[in-house]
Amino acid sequence: MTARVTGDALQEAREILLLAPRVLVLTGAGISAESGVPTFRGPGGLWKEHRPEAVATPEAFRRDPRLVWEWYAWRREIILRCSPNAGHRVLAQWLLEREGTACLATQNVDGLHARAANGTGSPILELHGSLFRVRCTECRREAPHSDPVDTRTRESLPRCPACGGLLRPAVVWFGEPLPTDALDPAYRWAATADVTLVVGTSALVHPAAALPLVTRQRGGTILEVNPERSSLTSYARISLRGPAGEVLPALLGMREHRGV
Ligand code: OAD
């Protein structure tokens, strides 16, 4: 396993990607760090300041939906001030160039991959849902939602236009299953990919973290981009140790892509 961004490691990783008929890309909070979106576990990470049991479980929402909405409304506000970075952009362009031979699955709920793709890219499998969608706690209808949320009282929280039920963020909370319309295709890609490229995740949360291991068990290769070690580093053929906003343009960018 190589763990540096030397020219050789980068060149080898580019060649592996270029020769791979099918590639799955799995991203985590690290790809959005350079956009200003806080990660979960690093220095200044969200889970250092907030307890997941208080803001990211179905029990927390039943107990105090106002508090939970306040936390998600705050995260929405941060993200709405952020823009996709070079990593998101080059990945969106590369997915277009791969014309259906690569797929992106993300654990992120920030919508920055979709904003970078600007409606032109291949589908993005949002394994943990989206901060900008809501689901009715009564009729379970889902819809896009980015309006400001009035979190002053329980009564002011958003309601379902169809049945009047309380709306919740359409994100995956601890103890909840992942949406099958994202997890099933992600699993199929992991099982058939020649390479899974893992970007900016500590790979501690399952089942998302297990997807690259599925690829490896089927004889495929894991490539990683992360400034730090992750729990997948020892399984990666090459771990490019650097920020996604710098490494991904070098790894996937047009000039480099053609130059291999
Ligand atoms: P983490 O906060 O656990 O990990 C972020 C990873 O990004 C770390 O490995 C960092 O080293 C890396 N990183 C930091 N800056 C980076 C940069 N500029 N470029 C590339 N990598 C960088 O976030 P996730 O692994 O995404 O789930 O967390 C997984 C899940 O845990 C989240 O989706 C969330 C959380 O609990 C739910 O809320 C269900």
Side-chain angles (χ1 to χ4, degrees):
M1 195 270 302
T2 315
R4 302 172 310 282
V5 188
T6 61
D8 284 354
L10 193 62
Q11 180 70 9
E12 188 186 345
R14 280 205 304 258
E15 278 169 20
I16 290 170
L17 284 171
L18 198 63
L19 295 175
R22 282 170 69 82
V23 180
L24 171 66
V25 183
L26 174 68
T27 64
I31 195 170
S32 297
E34 289 153 90
S35 293
V37 182
T39 61
F40 291 92
R41 296 176 180 81
L46 292 171
W47 294 151
K48 298 256 188 284
E49 296 284 328
H50 308 270
R51 288 180 311 119
E53 321 79 86
V55 289
T57 63
E59 295 74 31
F61 191 73
R62 274 196 292 275
R63 195 169 52 238
D64 193 346
R66 204 199 59 75
L67 176 77
V68 173
W69 257 119
E70 198 169 60
W71 194 62
Y72 283 93
W74 170 72
R75 287 179 61 197
R76 271 189 183 182
E77 275 173 34
I78 295 177
I79 289 158
L80 286 171
R81 288 196 298 269
C82 297
S83 303
N85 64 50
H88 297 107
R89 288 195 300 272
V90 79
L91 190 52
Q93 182 59 34
W94 178 83
L95 285 163
L96 266 184
E97 287 165 21
R98 293 276 320 201
E99 290 177 348
T101 65
C103 174
L104 170 61
T106 186
Q107 298 165 86
N108 299 346
V109 294
D110 58 28
L112 290 179
H113 283 304
R115 277 164 65 189
N118 204 13
T120 56
S122 27
I124 298 158
L125 304 174
E126 294 185 314
L127 298 168
H128 291 168
S130 167
L131 271 181
F132 299 98
R133 292 184 69 79
V134 288
R135 184 163 68 246
C136 178
T137 52
E138 302 289 335
C139 70
R140 306 194 61 76
R141 201 176 296 228
E142 251 194 63
H145 189 284
S146 46
D147 300 339
V149 176
D150 183 346
T151 58
R152 280 173 300 179
T153 66
R154 196 182 176 113
E155 288 65 43
S156 66
L157 296 176
R159 294 267 159 191
C160 176
C163 77
L166 185 60
L167 294 174
R168 57 163 278 182
V171 297
V172 175
W173 285 328
F174 287 92
E176 292 186 320
L178 272 58
T180 51
D181 58 352
L183 184 61
D184 290 354
Y187 187 87
R188 281 197 296 277
W189 270 91
T192 54
D194 303 279
V195 175
T196 289
L197 171 64
V198 187
V199 183
T201 177
S202 59
L204 291 170
V205 175
H206 286 254
L211 291 168
L213 297 174
V214 173
T215 303
R216 195 166 180 273
Q217 274 153 13
R218 304 282 176 113
T221 298
I222 298 175
L223 301 177
E224 179 178 60
V225 176
N226 198 316
E228 309 283 339
R229 281 187 71 83
S230 80
S231 63
L232 286 172
T233 300
S234 56
Y235 300 99
R237 171 127 160 231
I238 301 174
S239 184
L240 296 169
R241 209 53 69 71
E246 291 173 23
V247 177
L248 286 182
L251 181 65
L252 308 175
M254 286 285 279
R255 191 169 52 79
E256 290 82 0
H257 193 58
R258 289 200 182 119
V260 171

